[in-house]
């Protein structure tokens, strides 16, 4: 590709004469100082570019003072100046000439680094010096003809747009002002020409850069990795800008025609769901998730590194326990809550949650929606399994919104491997994504709680107040159980649950087997309506005998006091008639909670 620099020698000489002796601080060139001193405002930059196109090489020489002496040259323009002094002194020690922008230049000078000049980031001669290919003679000739030097290293990071728009309410104009133009332009140019120009966007790469330069290495793989990181840096930045602009211009619309999810590697995991699968954990850096809480941003205070399955189970436990307003403990195994209880005394809630299914609870995840203090930590550490009264309960993870200093100290003493997580309550109104082969499914998060819906009585017998409270508790637990889901609960305590069965009756039977005799008078919640089977047979005419022989009747025969289900089946009337026959209260929620 030819390198074109437009020039009119007469005009160039005239403009150059007028600019000689003018200060090189770009913020004084054409406009008042911009908001970001490291890069000129768009108006100033466009004026500079227009003047450069008219005046050609004279402007390049007068305003940017780019070296054409053959000395290796670095361009530095940083918003985040972390380790800038280290980088500047390191480059200077290696004999590199440093050219910089206003704010960065001032910081370098304050650190005792000598500069070869100050530049405008949108100046054509800057990009000519970055994009020119050293193996193309016509590129080098064009540079020589116009007195433009080359850059060997470009170190740039961008205006803190992400931090600005997530720090609080800002005006649309202020958001637009914080969109970087010059920075991405230089980064992309340098990354494209990475064979000749090293591009650095992350201060953590400064040491490896200096080592590379010190050894005069020619490792193209290193250059390619830096180029990849540069393009990824700009892509993430553009993703944030795009997401913000979509929300500013499409209020209430959740599904844009296209969008990018910016993911950042948080950790490489030992393995995936199974030992033969490699895995990693990525944090979602979308603007919508800033401050949203959840397991991805949890602090790990103690224990082994998190595994793939640990993340899934901890997420399930935390999402479930965060739904409850009263002090609550939830125990999860393989992403299903196998025990849950709400009590004003959180110690009692913990004991009841474990007793709901102590076999499943062993090796599970315990989640609380209250601070873990000294007393609760002791109970977690010393509690014996209800199955034999002797074996200390073992857990993979404890997750809570916080810990007292003493509580954390005691809990750390339970096991060297126990993972102790501190998480913020998960946000609502999030976009839920799930991968399928060749695509993604997107939906609104399921945020409905009992307070958001109406429990409508369908049976002849109206539920008592305590029954309705049990039905709401069971319904909220069922929301977090894999379909087909059945939960039996009484006195704000899960007694049994059946999950993941393709046949709802089998889930019901599993739940009753776990609940035992305590199921009598309890509440039963189903995540979806009951597919009713009606059996009709004739013995002698005109006598006709009807039997339901399905999950609703089986629940009634086992002594259930109240059933909560969404309704919506063609045989809802039969479900009502069956409950009336056994004197069981039946309420419809109108809301289904499938979880696949």
């Amino acid at each position: 590709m030819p390198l074109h620099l437009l020039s009119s020698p007469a005009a160039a000489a005239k403009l150059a004469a007028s600019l000689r002796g003018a200060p090189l601080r770009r913020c004084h060139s054409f406009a008042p100082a911009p908001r970001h001193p490291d890069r000129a405002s768009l108006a100033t930059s466009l004026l500079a570019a227009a003047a450069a196109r008219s005046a050609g090489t004279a402007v390049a020489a007068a305003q940017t003072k780019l070296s054409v002496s053959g000395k290796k040259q670095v361009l530095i323009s940083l918003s985040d100046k972390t380790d800038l002094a280290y980088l500047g002194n390191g480059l200077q020690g290696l004999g590199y000439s440093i050219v910089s922008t206003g704010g960065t230049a001032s910081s370098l000078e304050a650190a005792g680094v000598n500069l070869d000049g100050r530049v405008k980031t949108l100046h054509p001669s800057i990009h000519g010096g970055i994009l020119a290919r050293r193996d193309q003679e016509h590129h080098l000739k064009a540079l020589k003809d116009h007195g433009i030097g080359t850059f060997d290293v470009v170190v740039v990071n961008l205006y803190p747009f992400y931090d600005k728009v997530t720090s609080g309410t800002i005006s649309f104009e202020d958001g637009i002002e914080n969109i970087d133009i010059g920075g991405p332009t230089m980064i992309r140019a340098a990354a494209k020409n990475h064979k000749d120009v090293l591009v650095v966007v992350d201060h953590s790469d400064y040491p490896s850069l200096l080592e590379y330069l010190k050894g005069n290495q020619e490792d193209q793989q290193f250059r390619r990795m830096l180029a990849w990181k540069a393009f990824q840096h700009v892509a993430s930045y553009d993703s944030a800008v795009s997401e913000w602009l979509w929300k500013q211009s499409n209020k209430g619309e959740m599904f844009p025609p296209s969008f990018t999810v910016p993911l950042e590697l948080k950790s490489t995991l030992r393995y995936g769901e199974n030992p033969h699968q490699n895995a990693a954990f990525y944090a979602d850096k979308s603007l919508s998730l800033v401050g949203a809480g959840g397991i991805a941003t949890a602090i790990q205070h103690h224990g082994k590194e998190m595994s793939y399955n640990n993340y899934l189970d901890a997420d399930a436990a935390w999402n479930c326990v965060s739904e409850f307003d009263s002090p609550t403990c939830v125990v999860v195994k393989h992403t299903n809550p196998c025990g849950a209880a709400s009590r004003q005394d959180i110690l009692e809630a913990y004991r009841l949650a474990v007793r709901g299914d102590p076999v499943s609870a062993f090796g599970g995840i315990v989640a609380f929606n209250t601070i873990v203090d000294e007393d609760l930590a002791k109970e977690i550490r010393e509690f014996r399994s209800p199955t034999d009264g002797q074996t200390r309960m073992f857990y993979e993870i404890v997750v809570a919104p916080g810990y007292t200093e003493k509580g954390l100290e005691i809990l750390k003493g339970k096991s060297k491997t126990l993972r102790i997580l501190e998480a913020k309550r998960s946000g609502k109104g999030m976009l839920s994504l799930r991968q399928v082969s060749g695509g993604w499914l997107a939906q609104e998060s399921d945020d409905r709680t009992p307070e958001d819906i109406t429990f409508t009585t369908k049976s002849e017998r109206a539920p008592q107040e305590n029954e309705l409270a049990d039905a709401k508790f069971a319904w909220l637990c069922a929301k977090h159980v894999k379909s087909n889901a059945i939960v039996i609960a009484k006195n704000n305590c899960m007694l049994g649950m059946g999950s993941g069965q393709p046949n709802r009756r089998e889930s019901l039977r599993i739940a009753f087997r776990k609940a035992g005799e305590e199921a009598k008078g309890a509440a039963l919640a189903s995540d979806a309506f009951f597919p009713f089977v009606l059996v009709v047979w004739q013995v002698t005419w005109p006598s006709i005998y009807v039997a339901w022989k399905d999950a609703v009747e089986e629940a009634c025969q086992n002594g259930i006091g109240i059933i909560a289900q969404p309704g919506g089946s063609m045989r809802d009337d039969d479900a009502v008639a069956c409950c009336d026959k056994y004197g069981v209260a039946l309420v419809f929620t109108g809301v289904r909670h499938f979880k696949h």
Side-chain angles (χ1 to χ4, degrees):
M1 180 183 70
L3 183 66
H4 294 293
L5 291 174
L6 301 179
S7 172
S8 168
K14 183 176 180 181
L15 185 56
S18 69
L19 290 173
R20 286 192 183 97
L24 293 176
R25 296 178 181 270
R26 64 197 176 102
C27 58
H28 297 154
S29 297
F30 296 98
R35 291 176 186 266
H36 300 279
D38 273 24
R39 284 189 279 277
S41 66
L42 181 58
T44 301
S45 300
L46 289 175
L47 283 170
R53 290 189 182 95
S54 300
T57 58
V59 172
Q63 284 197 305
T64 63
K65 284 192 173 179
L66 299 187
S67 170
V68 292
S69 63
K71 189 176 182 180
K72 288 188 176 295
Q73 191 163 237
V74 180
L75 171 61
I76 305 178
S77 179
L78 299 175
S79 178
D80 177 3
K81 298 175 179 61
T82 303
D83 295 331
L84 174 58
Y86 164 79
L87 175 66
N89 284 298
L91 290 168
Q92 186 171 270
L94 292 173
Y96 279 79
S97 173
I98 298 175
V99 175
S100 187
T101 53
T104 304
S106 298
S107 296
L108 285 167
E109 288 170 340
V113 178
N114 296 322
L115 300 182
D116 193 51
R118 294 170 182 254
V119 297
K120 294 179 183 297
T121 58
L122 285 176
H123 199 288
S125 59
I126 293 295
H127 296 282
I130 294 173
L131 283 166
R133 291 179 54 180
R134 314 311 194 255
D135 60 353
Q136 298 290 323
E137 289 188 9
H138 60 289
H139 281 204
L140 298 179
K141 183 178 183 300
L143 292 180
K144 184 178 179 180
D145 291 345
H146 296 284
I148 297 176
T150 59
F151 288 105
D152 302 283
V153 183
V154 171
V155 185
V156 178
N157 57 46
L158 306 176
Y159 293 170
F161 176 84
Y162 186 95
D163 294 336
K164 186 70 176 179
V165 298
T166 58
S167 61
T169 303
I170 67 168
S171 67
F172 181 78
E173 291 73 19
D174 199 14
I176 292 295
E177 182 67 24
N178 277 272
I179 298 175
D180 203 326
I181 301 300
T185 306
M186 289 189 294
I187 290 172
R188 290 176 62 86
K192 179 177 181 178
N193 196 25
H194 63 270
K195 181 181 177 182
D196 296 314
V197 182
L198 288 159
V199 56
V200 180
V201 296
D202 185 352
H203 63 83
S204 67
D205 290 323
Y206 294 171
S208 56
L209 170 69
L210 293 175
E211 282 299 314
Y212 181 88
L213 296 175
K214 189 183 299 181
N216 291 316
Q217 301 177 45
E218 290 299 331
D219 182 6
Q220 286 298 314
Q221 190 61 28
F222 178 72
R223 290 176 173 272
R224 289 171 185 168
M225 283 301 297
L226 290 179
W228 164 81
K229 198 168 187 176
F231 277 117
Q232 185 61 45
H233 183 66
V234 174
S236 295
Y237 190 86
D238 288 344
S239 174
V241 174
S242 173
E243 182 184 355
W244 179 77
L245 278 172
W246 169 260
K247 290 182 178 178
Q248 296 296 314
S249 55
N250 294 273
K251 303 289 186 182
E253 176 57 53
M254 199 166 197
F255 305 108
S258 65
F259 66 102
T260 303
V261 180
L263 302 179
E264 184 176 278
L265 181 66
K266 187 171 182 180
S267 61
T268 301
L269 307 178
R270 286 177 294 151
Y271 52 79
E273 204 159 8
N274 300 290
H276 64 275
Q277 296 172 274
N278 295 324
F281 180 62
Y282 287 83
D284 189 336
K285 305 300 289 185
S286 297
L287 298 178
S288 60
L289 294 184
V290 173
I295 289 301
T297 57
I299 300 169
Q300 183 171 352
H301 290 290
H302 181 73
K304 290 175 64 177
E305 63 185 74
M306 293 282 286
S307 72
Y308 183 96
N309 293 329
N310 287 156
Y311 276 114
L312 291 175
D313 288 337
D315 185 60
W318 184 242
N319 288 340
C320 183
V321 80
S322 295
E323 295 265 40
F324 295 88
D325 294 324
S326 301
T328 300
C329 174
V330 170
V331 184
V332 160
K333 192 69 166 289
H334 297 308
T335 72
N336 281 301
C338 57
S342 295
R343 291 289 186 277
Q344 287 305 310
D345 181 359
I346 192 62
L347 273 71
E348 183 185 1
Y350 164 63
R351 299 183 194 113
L352 290 171
V354 175
R355 289 191 179 114
D357 187 351
V359 175
S360 297
F362 196 87
I365 285 77
V366 184
F368 301 92
N369 63 356
T370 62
I371 301 294
V372 175
D373 61 13
E374 180 178 352
D375 292 337
L376 180 54
K378 286 180 179 177
E379 189 70 14
I380 297 170
R381 188 179 70 179
E382 300 298 333
F383 190 66
R384 265 48 175 185
S385 172
T387 56
D388 60 14
Q390 296 181 351
T391 305
R392 276 195 181 94
M393 290 299 295
F394 163 75
Y395 305 116
E396 290 278 350
I397 301 170
V398 174
V399 56
Y403 303 82
T404 65
E405 184 177 349
K406 192 63 177 178
L408 186 59
E409 178 186 336
I410 292 170
L411 208 53
K412 287 180 178 179
K414 180 173 175 63
S415 167
K416 291 182 179 179
T417 62
L418 177 65
R419 302 162 182 87
I420 303 174
L421 303 182
E422 179 180 332
K424 294 181 180 179
R425 194 170 189 138
S426 301
K428 295 183 180 297
M430 300 293 105
L431 184 66
S432 175
L433 297 175
R434 190 166 181 178
Q435 190 173 16
V436 295
S437 298
W440 293 82
L441 292 167
Q443 66 173 353
E444 294 177 301
S445 56
D446 185 358
D447 296 330
R448 296 285 179 88
T449 65
E451 290 70 33
D452 300 322
I453 65 172
T454 301
F455 286 72
T456 304
T457 301
K458 293 294 184 179
S459 56
E460 291 179 353
R461 183 175 79 81
Q464 299 178 16
E465 186 176 343
N466 66 308
E467 288 181 317
L468 187 58
D470 286 339
K472 291 179 178 181
F473 180 89
W475 182 84
L476 193 52
C477 291
K479 170 183 172 180
H480 293 273
V481 175
K482 293 293 178 65
S483 300
N484 286 308
I486 298 291
V487 171
I488 298 172
K490 184 192 293 183
N491 298 327
N492 289 329
C493 177
M494 182 190 290
L495 303 176
M497 72 90 183
S499 66
Q501 301 301 309
N503 183 323
R504 191 165 296 276
R505 290 181 71 182
E506 290 305 313
S507 289
L508 181 136
R509 289 166 180 169
I510 293 170
F512 272 110
R513 188 166 66 246
K514 291 180 178 180
E517 288 300 311
E518 291 186 83
K520 295 189 182 304
L524 182 148
S526 173
D527 64 336
F529 66 71
F530 289 97
F532 221 85
V533 176
L534 185 66
V535 179
V536 181
W537 70 92
Q538 177 180 324
V539 178
T540 57
W541 179 261
S543 300
I544 298 178
Y545 294 84
V546 179
W548 290 284
K549 299 299 181 184
D550 212 309
V552 174
E553 185 167 35
E554 199 166 317
C556 293
Q557 290 172 341
N558 277 283
I560 281 294
I562 181 173
I563 296 175
Q565 62 142 318
S569 168
M570 293 176 61
R571 311 306 294 264
D572 279 347
D573 290 343
D574 291 310
V576 173
C578 182
C579 287
D580 288 342
K581 173 184 174 182
Y582 289 93
V584 173
L586 176 65
V587 294
F588 283 4
T589 66
V591 176
R592 190 181 73 182
H593 276 313
F594 270 166
K595 188 175 180 65
H596 289 86

